[in-house]
Amino acid sequence: MHADSCMDPDNPDVVLAAEIFSMLSDVTRVRIVVALVNHDEMPVGELSKLVHKSPAAVSQHLAKLRLARIVAGRQDGNRVYYRLANEHAERLVRAALEQAEHAASDTPLHHQQPAAVAKLHGV
């Protein structure tokens, strides 16, 4: 069996991976990532409305996410628009949400047939 080198328990990036999980252990930061998945790019004010936190609180969370290279910012005049730095943050949060579905249900939503999912969402 061919071992994936990044999945080696001795990989030095294991420590950094744990720090990423720690960064995403905050509900507001996960909500920010989800909002950016759904909206591509947003300023602090709009993000704060979506995650139900003050702009100051969202700015502090974004600063941490920026340092962890999970989000990136783009200056446009006096506004900064934030986006996910790469596709990995989305995949990581999506996988965590799917794992949460497994913890909450014997039949997680992401395993159901598309028609059943649409019916649950009233589509």
Side-chain angles (χ1 to χ4, degrees), residues 1-14:
M1 174 189 278
H2 174 62
D4 184 347
S5 63
C6 80
M7 295 304 289
D8 181 345
D10 292 326
N11 181 336
D13 288 337
V14 166

Side-chain angles (χ1 to χ4, degrees), residues 6-28:
C6 80
M7 295 304 289
D8 181 345
D10 292 326
N11 181 336
D13 288 337
V14 166
V15 173
L16 290 172
E19 290 177 13
I20 295 295
F21 282 122
S22 177
M23 179 63 55
L24 292 172
S25 69
D26 182 90
V27 173
T28 300

Side-chain angles (χ1 to χ4, degrees), residues 34-54:
V34 170
L36 291 173
V37 166
N38 292 322
H39 297 276
D40 293 328
E41 188 178 70
M42 298 182 76
V44 172
E46 291 178 31
L47 274 169
S48 70
K49 291 174 188 171
L50 284 177
V51 303
H52 311 290
K53 296 290 180 183
S54 71

Side-chain angles (χ1 to χ4, degrees), residues 52-113:
H52 311 290
K53 296 290 180 183
S54 71
V58 169
S59 289
Q60 290 178 349
H61 286 294
L62 284 165
K64 291 177 182 179
L65 290 168
R66 205 171 45 247
L67 284 173
R69 296 185 178 172
I70 294 172
V71 301
R74 175 183 63 84
Q75 187 84 32
D76 184 16
N78 62 354
R79 290 181 108 176
V80 178
Y81 289 82
Y82 290 92
R83 68 184 184 291
L84 294 180
N86 56 57
E87 74 281 2
H88 301 292
E90 175 182 353
R91 290 196 326 238
L92 186 60
V93 169
R94 187 177 301 278
L97 290 170
E98 289 174 351
Q99 183 62 38
E101 287 179 4
H102 279 276
S105 172
D106 290 335
T107 310
L109 191 60
H110 67 275
H111 284 293
Q112 296 178 23
Q113 296 297 323

